[in-house]
Amino acid sequence: MPPRQGVSAAFAFLRKRSRIGLKRSSNSVVTALQMTVCAVGAYAFAEQVLGHNGPLFAATSSMISLGFSRDPRLRRVLEVGIGCTLGISVGDLLLTFFGTGIWQAAVVLFISILLARFLDSGTIFTTQLGLQSLLVVLLPAPEGGPFTRSVDAIVGGLFALVITMLLPRDPRREPKTNVRGLLSELSAVLRESAAALRDSDSTLAWHALIRARNCQSQLDSLTGSMRAAQEVARISPAYRRHRGELGSLRTAVDSIDLAIRNSRVFSRRLTSAINHAALTDDAIESLGQSLEDTADAVDLLSRALSARDSAERRLNLRQARNELAAVATDLHPETLHISRLEGEGLVLLLRPLVVDLLEATGLSHEDAADYLPRL
């Protein structure tokens, strides 16, 4: 590569990394402010109110408890807070019996890890308990006595818990963003399947299958963000009123999960149907239109579930439900001009997918299935 091209590539890389870094920093302002207030507040309380000299464990335990993890925050705060506190307490206790030194540190760390695994399966809990007990043994004891550090850890954990309860971010934001992205992918899978059907392109149908399979990581992120959001709504007075909305969204996510699984099965069967030329031109047109109409309804469902305004959410949900109901009433082989067995199999696979989406709009399974014509 010529030197000039190498310099240009380096500058392009730096510009890209700078944009990503600035975006990441701007999205972290609130969390960074919470961590700063929490750590400084815990340190100041332990020093000024409790009279501890240099209570670093109060600041560190509160910072680690909050952190930037995507895991449910309350569980992380409790895991880290209890892990830090218990680890320091275990270290202080063993320190009174064994004293300090390398072999004492090894014994304390070994016992602490086994104790953590006995109490909880969480890796964060084990790491914090072992690390804090090790630091207690290796660092000199404070002036107030060895158990002063245990009190500092408790202070840090309590400050983190209070911050989590009183100053959380809007718990609905992340799951709504995630559900919008996931439904956008499902809509794309359906449209790609329709295009594959009309073009008799089995490779395109296979691409739709791969796309549907790749939705799993987004689904996992959505499931995690839903757990965290419901957790915050339960403990935070500011967002407790949103528990009903988040509960409805969680029910919809369960139905969307099933719809995505069914889309994988449909795309895989569609590949075989295209390869065997199992559909007539009329069947291709009618089934392709059903897929397009379902994709349009999914877009409406996406706007409904990600909407902040309740009136907008209800309106889009009703429209999505009506469009999906219209698709469902036509899902019969005769209505879609399908006569061969392999084409009938496609209809049978599309029917539960549409029912899952109808359930995501808020219908019960029985009401959603009633829209399907009898076979």
Side-chain angles (χ1 to χ4, degrees), residues 192 195-206 270-271 274-275:
E192 203 163 15
L197 186 61
R198 287 170 172 154
D199 297 340
S200 296
D201 188 345
S202 60
T203 301
L204 192 57
W206 184 257
L270 179 62
T271 304
I274 292 173
N275 285 332

Side-chain angles (χ1 to χ4, degrees), residues 38-113:
C38 188
V40 174
Y43 185 95
F45 181 87
E47 184 180 51
Q48 302 297 327
V49 177
L50 301 181
H52 295 177
N53 183 28
L56 293 177
F57 281 96
T60 56
S61 64
S62 63
M63 284 189 63
I64 296 171
S65 296
L66 291 178
F68 286 93
S69 172
R70 295 172 61 90
D71 295 333
R73 176 170 284 195
L74 179 61
R75 177 177 173 84
R76 187 176 70 250
V77 168
L78 292 176
E79 277 190 351
V80 176
I82 295 174
C84 285
T85 304
L86 191 57
I88 294 169
S89 300
V90 169
D92 283 336
L93 183 62
L94 295 178
L95 182 64
T96 60
F97 289 102
F98 300 125
T100 60
I102 297 299
W103 74 265
Q104 291 93 335
V107 171
V108 169
L109 182 59
F110 180 73
I111 294 175
S112 299
I113 292 174

Side-chain angles (χ1 to χ4, degrees), residues 242-258:
H242 298 311
R243 286 181 296 177
E245 181 184 349
L246 288 170
S248 299
L249 182 58
R250 178 59 183 267
T251 301
V253 168
D254 292 338
S255 298
I256 293 168
D257 181 9
L258 295 175

Side-chain angles (χ1 to χ4, degrees), residues 179 182-183 186 219 222 226 245-260 301 304-305 317 356-363:
V179 78
L182 181 61
L183 286 175
L186 177 57
L219 183 61
L222 175 57
M226 278 302 314
E245 181 184 349
L246 288 170
S248 299
L249 182 58
R250 178 59 183 267
T251 301
V253 168
D254 292 338
S255 298
I256 293 168
D257 181 9
L258 295 175
I260 290 174
L301 180 62
L305 296 180
L317 274 179
D356 293 333
L357 292 173
L358 279 168
E359 290 183 53
T361 67
L363 291 180

Side-chain angles (χ1 to χ4, degrees), residues 15-329:
R15 283 195 299 270
K16 181 179 179 181
R17 294 297 300 173
S18 297
R19 285 196 300 269
I20 294 173
L22 286 173
K23 182 178 180 181
R24 191 164 53 237
S25 296
S26 62
N27 291 337
S28 303
V29 169
V30 175
T31 305
L33 182 61
Q34 289 178 350
M35 292 173 65
T36 302
V37 171
C38 188
V40 174
Y43 185 95
F45 181 87
E47 184 180 51
Q48 302 297 327
V49 177
L50 301 181
H52 295 177
N53 183 28
L56 293 177
F57 281 96
T60 56
S61 64
S62 63
M63 284 189 63
I64 296 171
S65 296
L66 291 178
F68 286 93
S69 172
R70 295 172 61 90
D71 295 333
R73 176 170 284 195
L74 179 61
R75 177 177 173 84
R76 187 176 70 250
V77 168
L78 292 176
E79 277 190 351
V80 176
I82 295 174
C84 285
T85 304
L86 191 57
I88 294 169
S89 300
V90 169
D92 283 336
L93 183 62
L94 295 178
L95 182 64
T96 60
F97 289 102
F98 300 125
T100 60
I102 297 299
W103 74 265
Q104 291 93 335
V107 171
V108 169
L109 182 59
F110 180 73
I111 294 175
S112 299
I113 292 174
L114 292 183
L115 176 61
R117 299 305 294 171
F118 173 77
L119 295 174
D120 190 85
S121 61
T123 55
I124 298 177
F125 181 82
T126 302
T127 302
Q128 289 306 316
L129 198 153
L131 176 62
Q132 301 302 328
S133 61
L134 180 64
L135 289 176
V136 166
V137 176
L138 294 179
L139 295 177
E143 295 179 0
F147 289 98
T148 301
R149 293 174 293 200
S150 301
V151 176
D152 291 340
I154 294 173
V155 169
L158 289 176
F159 265 74
L161 188 59
V162 169
I163 290 290
T164 300
M165 293 176 63
L166 299 182
L167 299 174
R169 293 173 293 179
D170 188 339
R172 300 169 297 170
R173 182 183 304 173
E174 188 172 357
K176 286 187 174 185
T177 300
N178 290 343
V179 78
R180 184 169 61 244
L182 181 61
L183 286 175
S184 175
E185 282 299 297
L186 177 57
S187 175
V189 169
L190 295 170
R191 296 189 193 281
E192 203 163 15
S193 297
L197 186 61
R198 287 170 172 154
D199 297 340
S200 296
D201 188 345
S202 60
T203 301
L204 192 57
W206 184 257
H207 289 168
L209 171 61
I210 299 302
R211 190 168 199 157
R213 287 174 174 171
N214 289 339
C215 289
Q216 188 59 47
S217 60
Q218 289 179 281
L219 183 61
D220 293 340
S221 296
L222 175 57
T223 302
S225 64
M226 278 302 314
R227 284 200 306 269
Q230 290 183 300
E231 192 176 83
V232 170
R234 280 196 300 270
I235 67 171
S236 173
Y239 294 110
R240 195 167 296 164
R241 65 185 185 277
H242 298 311
R243 286 181 296 177
E245 181 184 349
L246 288 170
S248 299
L249 182 58
R250 178 59 183 267
T251 301
V253 168
D254 292 338
S255 298
I256 293 168
D257 181 9
L258 295 175
I260 290 174
R261 294 176 190 272
N262 283 322
S263 73
R264 297 170 191 162
V265 181
F266 179 86
S267 300
R268 185 165 56 246
R269 182 61 65 87
L270 179 62
T271 304
S272 174
I274 292 173
N275 285 332
H276 291 90
L279 299 172
T280 64
D281 290 342
D282 289 341
I284 288 173
E285 181 60 32
S286 57
L287 185 57
Q289 189 60 51
S290 294
L291 290 171
E292 290 284 358
D293 291 343
T294 304
D296 290 339
V298 169
D299 290 337
L300 284 171
L301 180 62
S302 174
R303 288 198 290 273
L305 296 180
S306 61
R308 293 186 178 182
D309 182 67
S310 58
E312 180 185 356
R313 181 168 60 253
R314 287 193 299 269
L315 176 62
N316 284 313
L317 274 179
R318 184 166 58 250
Q319 292 178 347
R321 186 181 301 133
N322 291 339
E323 291 197 13
L324 288 167
V327 172
T329 55

